[in-house]
Amino acid sequence: FLVSNPRQRMAWLGVLALAGVDVRTDPTRLVPLIAPAGPRRRATRAPLLVAGGAAWPWQDPRPGLDVALALLDERGEGRVVWYGGKPLVGDTVGAWSLPAHPRLEAPGWVPRETLLHASAGATAALDWMAPNPERALAFSFRHADYLGCGLPIITGPDTALTDLPGEWGWVTNEAHLAETLVQALDYAADRRRRGRAAREAASLHLSLAACAPLVAWVEAGTCHPR
């Protein structure tokens, strides 16, 4: 049973025990998502925040977007670009929708190379959502992409991302999100330091070498007849 982070392991052990799996010996293997070797970072003239994901009903990024867009309006510059939108599969009844705002762009689903190029040229990633159980257990592919591109991330305190070692970004609650955004936008030296920490975290914890447990399982596996 493969898990992408320790929180998933703890959650699944209970489910597996209820399903009759013997969990006295850990039946899971931790296999992290792999971060890319992203493009070289590029400076931006005006603040540019990238964000994204599918419009799943159990997630709500609107509180964070509202704070960010209000701040950019107050400053008179900057934009947020949201990559993603309606899921390609699955039921989205009750899902949220992006607010209509002149500083918010939504190109939809784009090729991964486009995402990596955008991340390399952004100021920071805005990955702040209202607390929910699914986000508390999930480590997203976009997290790995942001980190691999050296892009510092602004996120909430309840996400699995916060368990990753290093100062790869900023962790804040809704009450302090605006001041955290100001810090991310205005302090270039600190932002660059956190960007370097993001790449370091990716290379240490989200690399092919970190997938050794999966490789060992495949190499030690036995074939079973149907």
Side-chain angles (χ1 to χ4, degrees), residues 46-50 65-82 99-107 126:
L48 172 60
L49 301 173
V50 295
L65 284 174
D66 289 343
V67 172
L69 293 170
L71 177 65
L72 296 179
D73 272 345
E74 182 182 326
R75 297 164 66 101
E77 64 172 355
R79 56 198 172 100
V80 179
V81 182
W82 183 280
H101 194 284
R103 296 191 184 278
L104 177 62
E105 300 176 14
L126 180 62

Side-chain angles (χ1 to χ4, degrees), residues 6 19 21 38-39 44 81 83 130 148 165 180 214:
V21 176
T44 57
V81 182
Y83 294 94
T180 300
L214 176 60

Side-chain angles (χ1 to χ4, degrees), residues 41-51 71-72 75 77-81 83 116-127 146 149-154 168-170 180-196 198:
R41 293 277 290 144
R42 309 185 310 278
T44 57
R45 292 184 179 180
L48 172 60
L49 301 173
V50 295
L71 177 65
L72 296 179
R75 297 164 66 101
E77 64 172 355
R79 56 198 172 100
V80 179
V81 182
Y83 294 94
L116 298 182
H117 182 78
S119 294
T123 306
L126 180 62
D127 196 73
Y146 295 152
C149 290
L151 183 64
I153 305 172
I154 302 168
W168 38 259
W170 300 267
T180 300
L181 282 163
V182 170
Q183 181 181 355
L185 298 180
D186 289 349
Y187 295 90
D190 182 53
R191 191 170 62 242
R192 287 193 293 267
R193 179 180 64 83
R194 293 176 190 269
R196 291 191 295 269

